[in-house]
Amino acid sequence: MPRAVTLIRSASLSDVAEYAYAATAPAGSRLIFLAGACPLNEDGSTAAPGDVAGQAARAVENMRTALTDSGASLRDVISTRVLVASHRREDLVTAWGVVRDAFGDHDVPSTLMGVTVLGHDGRLVEIEAVAAVLDS
């Protein structure tokens, strides 16, 4: 099945980054804008209280579900923004490791941000994404 997303690597920029620097989708592709995927259990409670890696993993699973329900998968994601409610760089690195591992070699352009607080008590990780698909 052909994919809409093309990841772009720049020989003029460092190859140290663990993601592509840009991505494109052709005209006619359907864009899917996901709300921030939160670390919520099915009952609405926050998963993995106090655990950045556990919350990142649950947020990725919830993002997968939203993508599936939209007719897409992680391979169709064109960019992400990972928000971590922490001032500790180690927490950001931990969350990023979970997200990066979930995407594997589909290393989409991403922004990793430490933020002061997220929208609900106890939530440490939120992942925004945009995907592009070619509908047949």
Side-chain angles (χ1 to χ4, degrees):
M1 169 191 213
R3 297 279 180 192
V5 176
T6 300
L7 301 180
I8 299 169
R9 312 205 187 279
S10 175
S12 303
L13 297 171
S14 170
D15 63 357
V16 173
E18 297 177 322
Y19 49 82
Y21 280 102
T24 62
S29 57
R30 177 171 54 93
L31 296 179
I32 303 165
F33 297 87
L34 279 73
C38 296
L40 295 178
N41 295 314
E42 287 183 18
D43 66 2
S45 64
T46 298
D51 177 4
V52 171
Q55 287 198 12
R58 185 58 189 194
V60 167
E61 286 309 308
N62 289 342
M63 181 175 55
R64 282 184 204 265
T65 299
L67 286 164
T68 298
D69 291 349
S70 300
S73 73
L74 288 181
R75 303 283 308 167
D76 299 308
V77 172
I78 196 166
S79 69
T80 67
R81 182 176 300 130
V82 180
L83 309 171
V84 183
S86 177
H87 66 280
R88 297 181 36 188
R89 186 176 314 272
E90 304 84 46
D91 291 339
L92 276 69
V93 170
T94 295
W96 174 246
V98 172
V99 174
R100 182 195 61 229
D101 290 350
F103 278 90
D105 66 351
H106 185 67
D107 54 346
V108 299
S110 295
T111 299
L112 174 62
M113 299 173 59
V115 299
T116 304
V117 66
L118 291 172
H120 297 275
D121 285 339
R123 294 195 192 152
L124 302 174
V125 178
E126 188 168 328
I127 307 167
E128 298 177 7
V130 176
V133 295
L134 298 171
D135 291 321
S136 30

